[in-house]
Short mmCIF file of all heavy atoms in Angstrom, two decimals:
data_model
loop_
_atom_site.label_atom_id
_atom_site.label_comp_id
_atom_site.label_asym_id
_atom_site.label_seq_id
_atom_site.Cartn_x
_atom_site.Cartn_y
_atom_site.Cartn_z
N ASP A 1 -15.55 6.35 -4.17
CA ASP A 1 -14.91 5.09 -4.56
C ASP A 1 -14.29 5.22 -5.95
O ASP A 1 -13.16 4.79 -6.17
CB ASP A 1 -15.93 3.95 -4.56
CG ASP A 1 -16.38 3.56 -3.17
OD1 ASP A 1 -15.74 3.99 -2.18
OD2 ASP A 1 -17.38 2.83 -3.06
N ARG A 2 -15.03 5.83 -6.87
CA ARG A 2 -14.53 6.02 -8.24
C ARG A 2 -13.30 6.94 -8.23
O ARG A 2 -12.33 6.70 -8.94
CB ARG A 2 -15.65 6.59 -9.11
CG ARG A 2 -15.40 6.53 -10.58
CD ARG A 2 -16.63 6.87 -11.42
NE ARG A 2 -17.27 8.11 -11.03
CZ ARG A 2 -18.50 8.20 -10.52
NH1 ARG A 2 -19.20 7.13 -10.32
NH2 ARG A 2 -19.01 9.37 -10.19
N ASP A 3 -13.35 7.99 -7.40
CA ASP A 3 -12.22 8.91 -7.30
C ASP A 3 -10.98 8.19 -6.76
O ASP A 3 -9.87 8.46 -7.22
CB ASP A 3 -12.56 10.10 -6.42
CG ASP A 3 -13.54 11.07 -7.09
OD1 ASP A 3 -13.79 10.94 -8.31
OD2 ASP A 3 -14.06 11.95 -6.39
N LEU A 4 -11.16 7.30 -5.79
CA LEU A 4 -10.03 6.53 -5.26
C LEU A 4 -9.41 5.66 -6.33
O LEU A 4 -8.18 5.58 -6.45
CB LEU A 4 -10.48 5.65 -4.09
CG LEU A 4 -10.45 6.25 -2.71
CD1 LEU A 4 -11.03 5.28 -1.69
CD2 LEU A 4 -9.04 6.65 -2.31
N VAL A 5 -10.24 5.01 -7.12
CA VAL A 5 -9.75 4.14 -8.20
C VAL A 5 -8.97 4.97 -9.21
O VAL A 5 -7.87 4.60 -9.62
CB VAL A 5 -10.91 3.38 -8.86
CG1 VAL A 5 -10.46 2.68 -10.13
CG2 VAL A 5 -11.51 2.37 -7.89
N LYS A 6 -9.53 6.11 -9.60
CA LYS A 6 -8.85 6.98 -10.56
C LYS A 6 -7.55 7.55 -9.96
O LYS A 6 -6.55 7.67 -10.64
CB LYS A 6 -9.76 8.12 -11.00
CG LYS A 6 -10.85 7.67 -11.95
CD LYS A 6 -11.68 8.87 -12.38
CE LYS A 6 -12.71 8.50 -13.42
NZ LYS A 6 -13.48 9.67 -13.85
N GLY A 7 -7.60 7.89 -8.68
CA GLY A 7 -6.40 8.39 -8.01
C GLY A 7 -5.30 7.35 -8.00
O GLY A 7 -4.13 7.66 -8.23
N TYR A 8 -5.67 6.10 -7.73
CA TYR A 8 -4.68 5.02 -7.74
C TYR A 8 -4.10 4.85 -9.14
O TYR A 8 -2.88 4.75 -9.31
CB TYR A 8 -5.31 3.72 -7.25
CG TYR A 8 -4.38 2.54 -7.31
CD1 TYR A 8 -3.19 2.53 -6.61
CD2 TYR A 8 -4.69 1.43 -8.08
CE1 TYR A 8 -2.32 1.45 -6.67
CE2 TYR A 8 -3.83 0.35 -8.14
CZ TYR A 8 -2.65 0.36 -7.44
OH TYR A 8 -1.79 -0.71 -7.50
N ALA A 9 -4.96 4.86 -10.17
CA ALA A 9 -4.48 4.73 -11.54
C ALA A 9 -3.55 5.89 -11.89
O ALA A 9 -2.53 5.69 -12.57
CB ALA A 9 -5.66 4.68 -12.50
N ALA A 10 -3.87 7.09 -11.42
CA ALA A 10 -3.02 8.26 -11.70
C ALA A 10 -1.66 8.10 -11.02
O ALA A 10 -0.63 8.49 -11.59
CB ALA A 10 -3.71 9.54 -11.24
N THR A 11 -1.63 7.52 -9.81
CA THR A 11 -0.33 7.32 -9.15
C THR A 11 0.49 6.28 -9.90
O THR A 11 1.71 6.41 -9.98
CB THR A 11 -0.46 6.90 -7.67
OG1 THR A 11 -1.08 5.61 -7.57
CG2 THR A 11 -1.21 7.93 -6.85
N LEU A 12 -0.17 5.27 -10.46
CA LEU A 12 0.56 4.28 -11.26
C LEU A 12 1.17 4.94 -12.50
O LEU A 12 2.33 4.68 -12.84
CB LEU A 12 -0.37 3.13 -11.68
CG LEU A 12 -0.85 2.21 -10.59
CD1 LEU A 12 -1.92 1.25 -11.13
CD2 LEU A 12 0.29 1.42 -9.97
N ALA A 13 0.38 5.80 -13.14
CA ALA A 13 0.87 6.49 -14.34
C ALA A 13 2.03 7.43 -13.99
O ALA A 13 3.03 7.48 -14.71
CB ALA A 13 -0.27 7.27 -14.99
N ALA A 14 1.90 8.17 -12.90
CA ALA A 14 2.97 9.10 -12.50
C ALA A 14 4.23 8.33 -12.12
O ALA A 14 5.33 8.72 -12.51
CB ALA A 14 2.49 9.96 -11.33
N ALA A 15 4.08 7.25 -11.38
CA ALA A 15 5.24 6.46 -10.96
C ALA A 15 5.96 5.87 -12.17
O ALA A 15 7.17 5.65 -12.13
CB ALA A 15 4.80 5.35 -10.00
N ASP A 16 5.22 5.64 -13.23
CA ASP A 16 5.79 5.08 -14.46
C ASP A 16 6.69 6.09 -15.17
O ASP A 16 7.55 5.71 -15.95
CB ASP A 16 4.65 4.64 -15.37
CG ASP A 16 5.08 3.69 -16.45
OD1 ASP A 16 5.85 2.76 -16.15
OD2 ASP A 16 4.64 3.86 -17.60
N ARG A 17 6.49 7.40 -14.89
CA ARG A 17 7.22 8.44 -15.60
C ARG A 17 8.22 9.20 -14.75
O ARG A 17 9.08 9.90 -15.28
CB ARG A 17 6.24 9.46 -16.19
CG ARG A 17 5.35 8.92 -17.27
CD ARG A 17 4.54 10.02 -17.93
NE ARG A 17 3.69 10.76 -17.01
CZ ARG A 17 2.45 10.45 -16.71
NH1 ARG A 17 1.89 9.41 -17.25
NH2 ARG A 17 1.75 11.19 -15.87
N LEU A 18 8.12 9.14 -13.43
CA LEU A 18 8.92 9.99 -12.56
C LEU A 18 10.15 9.27 -12.00
O LEU A 18 10.22 8.04 -12.00
CB LEU A 18 8.07 10.49 -11.39
CG LEU A 18 6.89 11.37 -11.76
CD1 LEU A 18 6.04 11.66 -10.54
CD2 LEU A 18 7.37 12.67 -12.40
N THR A 19 11.07 10.07 -11.49
CA THR A 19 12.25 9.55 -10.79
C THR A 19 12.55 10.46 -9.60
O THR A 19 11.96 11.52 -9.45
CB THR A 19 13.50 9.54 -11.72
OG1 THR A 19 13.75 10.89 -12.14
CG2 THR A 19 13.30 8.65 -12.93
N GLY A 20 13.45 10.04 -8.76
CA GLY A 20 13.92 10.88 -7.66
C GLY A 20 12.87 11.23 -6.63
O GLY A 20 11.99 10.45 -6.31
N VAL A 21 12.96 12.46 -6.12
CA VAL A 21 12.06 12.93 -5.06
C VAL A 21 10.60 12.90 -5.50
O VAL A 21 9.74 12.44 -4.74
CB VAL A 21 12.47 14.35 -4.58
CG1 VAL A 21 11.44 14.93 -3.62
CG2 VAL A 21 13.84 14.30 -3.92
N PRO A 22 10.26 13.37 -6.71
CA PRO A 22 8.85 13.29 -7.11
C PRO A 22 8.32 11.85 -7.08
O PRO A 22 7.18 11.62 -6.66
CB PRO A 22 8.84 13.85 -8.53
CG PRO A 22 10.03 14.75 -8.59
CD PRO A 22 11.06 14.08 -7.71
N LEU A 23 9.13 10.89 -7.48
CA LEU A 23 8.71 9.49 -7.46
C LEU A 23 8.46 9.04 -6.03
O LEU A 23 7.47 8.36 -5.75
CB LEU A 23 9.74 8.59 -8.13
CG LEU A 23 9.44 7.09 -8.07
CD1 LEU A 23 8.13 6.77 -8.77
CD2 LEU A 23 10.58 6.30 -8.70
N LYS A 24 9.31 9.45 -5.11
CA LYS A 24 9.13 9.07 -3.70
C LYS A 24 7.81 9.63 -3.16
O LYS A 24 7.10 8.95 -2.42
CB LYS A 24 10.30 9.56 -2.85
CG LYS A 24 11.58 8.79 -3.10
CD LYS A 24 12.73 9.34 -2.28
CE LYS A 24 14.01 8.61 -2.63
NZ LYS A 24 15.16 9.15 -1.93
N LYS A 25 7.49 10.87 -3.54
CA LYS A 25 6.23 11.48 -3.09
C LYS A 25 5.03 10.72 -3.66
O LYS A 25 4.05 10.47 -2.95
CB LYS A 25 6.17 12.94 -3.50
CG LYS A 25 7.12 13.82 -2.71
CD LYS A 25 7.02 15.25 -3.15
CE LYS A 25 7.97 16.12 -2.34
NZ LYS A 25 7.88 17.53 -2.71
N VAL A 26 5.11 10.36 -4.93
CA VAL A 26 4.02 9.61 -5.56
C VAL A 26 3.87 8.25 -4.89
O VAL A 26 2.75 7.79 -4.63
CB VAL A 26 4.26 9.46 -7.08
CG1 VAL A 26 3.34 8.40 -7.68
CG2 VAL A 26 4.05 10.79 -7.78
N LYS A 27 4.98 7.59 -4.60
CA LYS A 27 4.93 6.27 -3.95
C LYS A 27 4.28 6.37 -2.56
O LYS A 27 3.53 5.48 -2.16
CB LYS A 27 6.33 5.66 -3.85
CG LYS A 27 6.92 5.23 -5.17
CD LYS A 27 6.20 4.03 -5.69
CE LYS A 27 6.93 3.45 -6.88
NZ LYS A 27 6.28 2.24 -7.38
N ARG A 28 4.56 7.45 -1.83
CA ARG A 28 3.92 7.63 -0.51
C ARG A 28 2.42 7.82 -0.67
O ARG A 28 1.62 7.25 0.06
CB ARG A 28 4.54 8.82 0.22
CG ARG A 28 5.86 8.51 0.90
CD ARG A 28 6.24 9.57 1.92
NE ARG A 28 6.31 10.92 1.40
CZ ARG A 28 7.40 11.50 0.91
NH1 ARG A 28 8.54 10.84 0.90
NH2 ARG A 28 7.37 12.73 0.48
N ARG A 29 2.04 8.63 -1.64
CA ARG A 29 0.61 8.85 -1.89
C ARG A 29 -0.05 7.55 -2.33
O ARG A 29 -1.16 7.23 -1.91
CB ARG A 29 0.44 9.94 -2.96
CG ARG A 29 -0.99 10.22 -3.30
CD ARG A 29 -1.72 10.83 -2.10
NE ARG A 29 -3.12 11.00 -2.44
CZ ARG A 29 -4.11 10.66 -1.64
NH1 ARG A 29 -3.88 10.17 -0.45
NH2 ARG A 29 -5.34 10.84 -2.00
N GLN A 30 0.65 6.81 -3.17
CA GLN A 30 0.12 5.53 -3.64
C GLN A 30 -0.11 4.57 -2.47
O GLN A 30 -1.14 3.90 -2.40
CB GLN A 30 1.11 4.92 -4.64
CG GLN A 30 0.60 3.72 -5.38
CD GLN A 30 1.64 3.27 -6.37
OE1 GLN A 30 2.65 2.69 -5.98
NE2 GLN A 30 1.40 3.52 -7.65
N ALA A 31 0.80 4.55 -1.53
CA ALA A 31 0.66 3.69 -0.35
C ALA A 31 -0.56 4.11 0.48
O ALA A 31 -1.31 3.25 0.97
CB ALA A 31 1.93 3.74 0.50
N ASP A 32 -0.78 5.42 0.60
CA ASP A 32 -1.96 5.92 1.33
C ASP A 32 -3.25 5.48 0.65
O ASP A 32 -4.20 5.05 1.31
CB ASP A 32 -1.95 7.45 1.41
CG ASP A 32 -0.84 8.00 2.30
OD1 ASP A 32 -0.30 7.22 3.12
OD2 ASP A 32 -0.51 9.18 2.16
N VAL A 33 -3.29 5.59 -0.66
CA VAL A 33 -4.49 5.22 -1.42
C VAL A 33 -4.72 3.71 -1.33
O VAL A 33 -5.85 3.26 -1.15
CB VAL A 33 -4.38 5.68 -2.89
CG1 VAL A 33 -5.52 5.13 -3.72
CG2 VAL A 33 -4.36 7.20 -2.98
N LEU A 34 -3.65 2.94 -1.43
CA LEU A 34 -3.78 1.47 -1.39
C LEU A 34 -4.42 0.98 -0.09
O LEU A 34 -5.16 0.00 -0.10
CB LEU A 34 -2.41 0.81 -1.57
CG LEU A 34 -1.99 0.57 -3.01
CD1 LEU A 34 -0.53 0.12 -3.07
CD2 LEU A 34 -2.89 -0.43 -3.69
N LYS A 35 -4.16 1.67 1.00
CA LYS A 35 -4.75 1.28 2.28
C LYS A 35 -6.27 1.39 2.27
O LYS A 35 -6.95 0.70 3.02
CB LYS A 35 -4.19 2.17 3.41
CG LYS A 35 -2.74 1.94 3.71
CD LYS A 35 -2.25 2.95 4.74
CE LYS A 35 -0.75 2.91 4.86
NZ LYS A 35 -0.24 3.98 5.73
N LYS A 36 -6.79 2.27 1.41
CA LYS A 36 -8.23 2.52 1.36
C LYS A 36 -8.96 1.67 0.32
O LYS A 36 -10.18 1.62 0.30
CB LYS A 36 -8.49 4.00 1.06
CG LYS A 36 -7.92 4.93 2.11
CD LYS A 36 -8.09 6.37 1.70
CE LYS A 36 -7.42 7.29 2.70
NZ LYS A 36 -7.50 8.70 2.31
N LEU A 37 -8.20 1.03 -0.58
CA LEU A 37 -8.80 0.29 -1.68
C LEU A 37 -9.12 -1.15 -1.31
O LEU A 37 -8.36 -1.80 -0.60
CB LEU A 37 -7.86 0.26 -2.89
CG LEU A 37 -7.59 1.57 -3.61
CD1 LEU A 37 -6.55 1.33 -4.70
CD2 LEU A 37 -8.84 2.14 -4.22
N THR A 38 -10.23 -1.64 -1.85
CA THR A 38 -10.52 -3.06 -1.78
C THR A 38 -9.73 -3.75 -2.90
O THR A 38 -9.27 -3.07 -3.84
CB THR A 38 -12.02 -3.32 -1.99
OG1 THR A 38 -12.36 -2.94 -3.34
CG2 THR A 38 -12.88 -2.56 -0.99
N PRO A 39 -9.56 -5.06 -2.84
CA PRO A 39 -8.88 -5.74 -3.95
C PRO A 39 -9.55 -5.49 -5.30
O PRO A 39 -8.87 -5.32 -6.32
CB PRO A 39 -8.95 -7.22 -3.56
CG PRO A 39 -9.01 -7.20 -2.06
CD PRO A 39 -9.84 -5.97 -1.73
N LYS A 40 -10.87 -5.41 -5.30
CA LYS A 40 -11.61 -5.15 -6.55
C LYS A 40 -11.30 -3.75 -7.08
O LYS A 40 -11.10 -3.57 -8.28
CB LYS A 40 -13.11 -5.30 -6.29
CG LYS A 40 -13.97 -5.18 -7.51
CD LYS A 40 -15.43 -5.42 -7.16
CE LYS A 40 -16.32 -5.25 -8.38
NZ LYS A 40 -17.72 -5.46 -8.07
N GLN A 41 -11.23 -2.77 -6.19
CA GLN A 41 -10.91 -1.41 -6.61
C GLN A 41 -9.47 -1.32 -7.11
O GLN A 41 -9.19 -0.62 -8.08
CB GLN A 41 -11.11 -0.43 -5.45
CG GLN A 41 -12.56 -0.20 -5.08
CD GLN A 41 -12.69 0.60 -3.80
OE1 GLN A 41 -11.96 0.38 -2.84
NE2 GLN A 41 -13.64 1.52 -3.79
N LYS A 42 -8.57 -2.03 -6.45
CA LYS A 42 -7.17 -2.04 -6.88
C LYS A 42 -7.07 -2.59 -8.30
O LYS A 42 -6.38 -2.02 -9.14
CB LYS A 42 -6.31 -2.87 -5.92
CG LYS A 42 -4.86 -2.88 -6.30
CD LYS A 42 -4.03 -3.73 -5.36
CE LYS A 42 -2.60 -3.75 -5.84
NZ LYS A 42 -1.85 -4.87 -5.36
N LYS A 43 -7.77 -3.66 -8.55
CA LYS A 43 -7.76 -4.27 -9.89
C LYS A 43 -8.35 -3.30 -10.92
O LYS A 43 -7.83 -3.18 -12.04
CB LYS A 43 -8.56 -5.57 -9.87
CG LYS A 43 -8.45 -6.37 -11.14
CD LYS A 43 -9.13 -7.72 -10.97
CE LYS A 43 -8.06 -8.76 -11.13
NZ LYS A 43 -8.50 -10.10 -10.97
N ALA A 44 -9.42 -2.58 -10.54
CA ALA A 44 -10.03 -1.60 -11.45
C ALA A 44 -9.05 -0.47 -11.76
O ALA A 44 -8.96 -0.01 -12.91
CB ALA A 44 -11.31 -1.05 -10.84
#
C-alpha cells in the first residue's frame, strides 16, 4: 500500500516535469496506479 502511494506521488512528480512521449507513458502508468488506490491513498 505504501509503495502504491509513493508510486502515485512519483508519477505526479514526473508528469510535472515531462513532455511528449515520456509524459504519455507516465500518464498511462498513473492511470494504472489510480485504479488500485483508495481515495485515502490518493490523497496521501
Side-chain angles (χ1 to χ4, degrees):
D1 290 346
R2 194 170 51 245
D3 288 348
L4 272 175
V5 169
K6 286 182 175 182
Y8 176 60
T11 65
L12 291 172
D16 197 44
R17 294 188 302 269
L18 297 174
T19 60
V21 173
L23 176 60
K24 289 178 184 176
K25 289 180 179 181
V26 166
K27 290 289 190 178
R28 280 196 304 268
R29 179 66 184 135
Q30 190 177 74
D32 292 341
V33 172
L34 273 171
K35 292 175 191 173
K36 299 175 184 177
L37 292 176
T38 65
K40 185 177 178 180
Q41 289 171 319
K42 181 181 177 202
K43 188 173 243 178

